[in-house]
Amino acid sequence: MDEKAPAGRLPERDRPWVMRTYAGHSSAAASNALFHRNLAKGQTGLSVAFDLPTQTGYDPDHELAAGEVGRVGVPVASLGDMRALFDGIPLADTNTSMTINAPAMWLLALYGTVAAEQGAELARCAGTTQNDIIKEYLSRGTYIFPPAASLRLTADLVAYALLRMPRWNPVNVCSYHLQEAGATPVQEVGFALATAVAVLDAVRDCGQVPPERMGDVVARVSFFVNAGVRFVEETAKMRAFGALWDEITRDRYGVTDPGQRRFRYGVQVNSLGLTEAQPENNVQRIVLEMLGVTLSRDARARAVQLPAWNEALGLPRPFDQQWSLRMQQVLAYESDLLEYPDLFAGSHVMTALVDGIVTGARVELEKVLGMGGVVAAVESGYLKSALVASLAERRRRLESGADTVVGVNRFTGTEPSPLTAAGADSIEQVDPAVEAAAVAAVRDWRAGRDGAAVDAALERLRADAATTANLMPATLECVRAGVTTGEWAGALRRVFGEYRAPTGLAGGVGVGGDATLAAVRQRVAATGRELGGGRLRLLVGKPGLDGHSNGAEQIAVRARDAGFEVIYQGIRLTAGQIVAAAVEEDVDLVGLSVLSGSHLAVVPAVLDGLRAAGRGDLPVVVGGIIPAGDADALRAAGVARVFTPRDFALTGIVDELVTVVRHANGL
């Protein structure tokens, strides 16, 4: 840019945001190689995806980890895995985001230990632990402990980072999954700010942070948001977020420094909004969604990571991630976006949009605070029920055609896509041997430790957990002794217990007088009469560790509205638990939902269990992100139907469930 900028432009071009891709799979070594390649391509920060066993505090050889190891992220069971993950990457010079929640303290302790082994000063290390447990109870499902104990861990980590890692964001309040679970912009802002208030209150009240340092705490709280395709509305949402955050931190916590009150956020655009049908359309969706968090200079994201076009099909390949990185680079370096002041200053349209979201979000926030805060709103089921109801309304609009999704419910005629012509080769494939290697590695790690040191470290962790002591020192001792992820979480499970979050189905609303649903109701009732007069009974099961429950909940709501009696026990069930429920409840149909890619392991385990229990005749259907070849394998194994994101019409799916029941019973 010229030394003297033309009128209306900035005197100096803004620096781009931190550019990331969300990466990690198979093993620490494979993920490390991917990190090195991505950094060489111009990525300016790391964003680490952990696999579901790591996220939920299990080692690779635990029963619940079967089929899940290395699928949606990297398995990290020990200090050895963390060393391999960051081998050759200077942590003092690399901004590292770790998407980890329930075991955030454990992963930060592993990270800090590796950084120290590299010779890095912890005070120089910059990055983020997501560490937002509240949204796990509402949408993502990777919680372990009850809310109060989880918030204690969050506060302990914030207090530790404040003293030892002042450049680290110890908590990243995450509204991302709230939007995917159904939240409107108003709910996303209101519920996320209620979470932030709960975290700050916990830190303020834990006695570990002097009152005069609350401004420093606020300055290190970051947010992680979702950006949908309605990018004008998303821009307004981000400006509303910033206005309310400034107000709350000033008035509730007395932070006087405007710099400390600045709303700092990173973003990933909407992954679950990507479509399996005509997946090439996802490219333009991703670009438009990126605009919603970059166009407004006053509310621009600090860091952006974009999904790949094929994430509705499976795990993206390195090329797909590179394509998404290049989207960011073209916007930042080829366009003139970073040359101008805020484009929306003085806009009557934007001001009205922002004011509307601020007003609505303030109402939602006050409602939650009036219930006693976000923990009470989780435990009562209010928040989950609100999200299930909002998602049901979003689905209704899609199915009725009130909302258009190109290639899904409109403009569905299409040419064959060269992007998917290669079939299974259009996504990354995880070698089944990965899990066996991880199991062998964690057992070798355990065999090579000082058992007495491990026992002593775990005993200290349990003892400290029973007090109000900060748990980071005991956790660091566990790291040094060679404790594993599952052992650390297991020790705390013994003290804190585990938790089963409300499913939200009690507040789920249906589609009312939908004519198609009325016809399905008649089929459900008639089939029930032909089978002996009772209501048809459907068991909806979530096997394994996959916590993405939105689809399962929406099927459950629609099936219930169609007249089924629905048994849904929530997420994270073993095959044995699902089989036991199917037998005890004497159901007519079992529906399994799996989005993590573990379907070829967890579904056959349920089928085998039903046969062993003498109920091999019971029909089983499966829904999830399932490639065509895998769907064929599931059908060959005995699955009656396979549903994928291409099957968006819920009433049609429920109608097909009735057909499955009728065929299974010779009707």
Side-chain angles (χ1 to χ4, degrees):
M1 192 180 296
D2 294 337
E3 189 171 319
K4 185 175 181 181
R9 292 194 182 184
L10 296 169
E12 197 173 312
R13 205 173 199 272
D14 278 340
R15 293 176 59 188
W17 50 89
V18 175
M19 299 183 189
R20 295 183 169 122
T21 53
Y22 185 50
H25 67 82
S26 299
S27 68
S31 299
N32 175 262
L34 182 59
F35 292 167
H36 279 286
R37 290 201 300 273
N38 287 345
L39 290 170
K41 293 170 183 173
Q43 183 174 303
T44 52
L46 293 179
S47 181
V48 185
F50 296 99
D51 74 352
L52 289 175
T54 304
Q55 292 183 53
T56 51
Y58 294 109
D59 288 334
D61 57 350
H62 192 279
E63 177 188 11
L64 275 168
E68 307 280 14
V69 177
R71 291 210 167 269
V72 300
V74 57
V76 174
S78 67
L79 180 59
D81 289 337
M82 190 64 92
R83 287 169 179 152
L85 183 63
F86 291 119
D87 184 42
I89 296 174
L91 293 181
D93 303 318
T94 306
N95 191 300
T96 304
S97 172
M98 296 191 287
T99 303
I100 196 71
N101 295 285
M105 177 181 287
W106 173 248
L107 270 298
L108 184 61
L110 291 173
Y111 167 94
T113 301
V114 170
E117 290 176 349
Q118 291 183 357
E121 295 178 37
L122 287 183
R124 284 187 56 208
C125 291
T128 302
T129 34
Q130 190 166 96
N131 200 21
D132 173 2
I133 200 62
I134 298 300
K135 65 95 172 49
E136 299 299 325
Y137 303 119
L138 301 176
S139 52
R140 184 58 189 85
T142 65
Y143 56 83
I144 303 173
F145 315 114
S150 296
L151 272 179
R152 180 250 181 108
L153 287 170
T154 299
D156 283 357
L157 183 52
V158 172
Y160 169 83
L162 184 68
L163 297 176
R164 298 294 306 277
M165 302 178 72
R167 296 185 63 202
W168 193 267
N169 300 322
V171 63
N172 185 226
V173 178
C174 180
S175 72
Y176 176 87
H177 295 96
L178 300 182
Q179 185 184 117
E180 292 196 333
T184 64
V186 163
Q187 289 174 322
E188 185 179 344
V189 175
F191 295 173
L193 290 175
T195 295
V197 166
V199 169
L200 290 176
D201 283 358
V203 172
R204 180 194 61 195
D205 299 339
C206 73
Q208 300 181 59
V209 176
E212 64 272 14
R213 296 213 61 187
M214 280 303 293
D216 296 323
V217 173
V218 167
R220 298 319 308 176
V221 174
S222 63
F223 287 74
F224 187 69
V225 304
N226 201 332
V229 76
R230 294 170 59 84
F231 65 91
V232 177
E233 187 174 66
E234 295 293 340
T235 299
K237 180 184 78 180
M238 299 322 306
R239 293 170 74 92
F241 246 135
L244 281 169
W245 180 243
D246 184 76
E247 174 187 305
I248 290 167
T249 53
R250 182 191 65 232
D251 297 347
R252 188 178 180 96
Y253 302 103
V255 180
T256 57
D257 183 348
Q260 292 180 324
R261 299 199 307 265
R262 183 178 179 184
F263 184 77
R264 301 160 53 254
Y265 76 97
V267 64
Q268 170 154 324
V269 307
N270 190 2
S271 290
L272 287 189
L274 305 181
T275 63
E276 178 188 17
Q278 299 181 21
E280 61 275 8
N281 295 335
N282 294 331
V283 175
Q284 51 265 34
R285 289 186 181 108
I286 292 167
V287 172
L288 291 171
E289 290 165 349
M290 176 171 53
L291 292 179
V293 293
T294 55
L295 279 176
S296 173
R297 184 174 187 257
D298 292 347
R300 184 170 293 148
R302 293 288 192 91
V304 176
Q305 60 190 44
L306 303 180
W309 68 274
N310 55 350
E311 287 196 21
L313 309 176
L315 191 67
R317 302 159 300 184
F319 171 79
D320 308 314
Q321 292 194 325
Q322 174 183 299
W323 194 354
S324 290
L325 175 62
R326 296 293 186 249
M327 292 177 198
Q328 295 198 57
Q329 291 169 331
V330 168
L331 179 63
Y333 296 109
E334 292 189 27
S335 85
D336 58 350
L337 175 66
L338 299 180
E339 298 174 12
Y340 295 94
D342 193 274
L343 304 178
F344 300 98
S347 164
H348 298 299
V349 172
M350 185 56 66
T351 297
L353 281 171
V354 172
D355 288 348
I357 295 173
V358 165
T359 299
R362 191 180 281 120
V363 169
E364 286 289 356
L365 175 59
E366 291 303 324
K367 185 186 298 183
V368 171
L369 295 180
M371 294 177 179
V374 75
V375 169
V378 166
E379 293 175 337
S380 71
Y382 166 72
L383 291 177
K384 183 65 174 178
S385 294
L387 293 174
V388 170
S390 291
L391 187 55
E393 170 60 16
R394 187 190 298 173
R395 298 290 313 197
R396 184 197 66 77
R397 292 182 61 81
L398 172 65
E399 293 179 56
S400 70
D403 290 344
T404 294
V405 178
V406 174
V408 173
N409 67 346
R410 195 174 179 192
F411 312 117
T412 54
T414 185
E415 299 295 329
S417 171
L419 292 176
T420 58
D425 291 339
S426 64
I427 57 174
E428 185 79 26
Q429 300 295 318
V430 175
D431 189 338
V434 160
E435 184 164 316
V439 168
V442 75
R443 289 175 177 169
D444 287 345
W445 176 265
R446 292 194 199 109
R449 306 175 304 184
D450 179 342
V454 169
D455 291 343
L458 290 171
E459 179 54 38
R460 178 188 175 185
L461 179 65
R462 288 190 293 268
D464 283 4
T467 71
T468 58
N470 188 302
L471 292 179
M472 195 63 171
T475 295
L476 286 166
E477 183 178 329
C478 286
V479 169
R480 291 188 291 267
V483 166
T484 66
T485 298
E487 290 168 339
W488 177 86
L492 294 182
R493 280 184 172 97
R494 287 180 56 183
V495 180
F496 297 147
E498 290 195 76
Y499 188 70
R500 300 292 293 177
T503 65
L505 294 191
V509 296
V511 293
D514 178 89
T516 306
L517 184 61
V520 177
R521 284 193 187 109
Q522 292 178 359
R523 286 195 76 207
V524 170
T527 303
R529 287 193 298 271
E530 291 178 63
L531 290 177
R535 292 174 65 192
L536 294 185
R537 295 165 67 80
L538 166 67
L539 173 67
V540 176
K542 289 286 297 175
L545 297 176
D546 171 35
H548 280 298
S549 59
N550 303 335
E553 289 155 1
Q554 291 302 308
I555 289 289
V557 168
R558 189 64 56 87
R560 183 191 63 192
D561 291 343
F564 275 91
E565 182 176 344
V566 178
I567 295 93
Y568 176 58
Q569 298 171 326
I571 61 172
R572 221 182 299 168
L573 300 172
T574 65
Q577 289 171 321
I578 291 172
V579 169
V583 173
E584 290 169 11
E585 299 286 353
D586 192 25
V587 299
D588 299 291
L589 177 67
V590 175
L592 303 178
S593 171
V594 187
L595 278 81
S596 65
S598 64
H599 43 265
L600 291 181
V602 297
V603 174
V606 173
L607 293 171
D608 291 343
L610 287 171
R611 294 186 189 107
R615 288 305 315 269
D617 60 318
L618 190 60
V620 175
V621 301
V622 180
I625 299 175
I626 301 173
D630 289 359
D632 290 340
L634 291 174
R635 283 188 286 264
V639 169
R641 296 287 190 282
V642 175
F643 301 98
T644 72
R646 192 183 298 266
D647 303 298
F648 73 92
L650 295 182
T651 301
I653 292 174
V654 174
D655 192 34
E656 188 65 16
L657 298 184
V658 182
T659 299
V660 169
V661 172
R662 293 186 66 82
H663 285 175
N665 289 276
L667 300 180

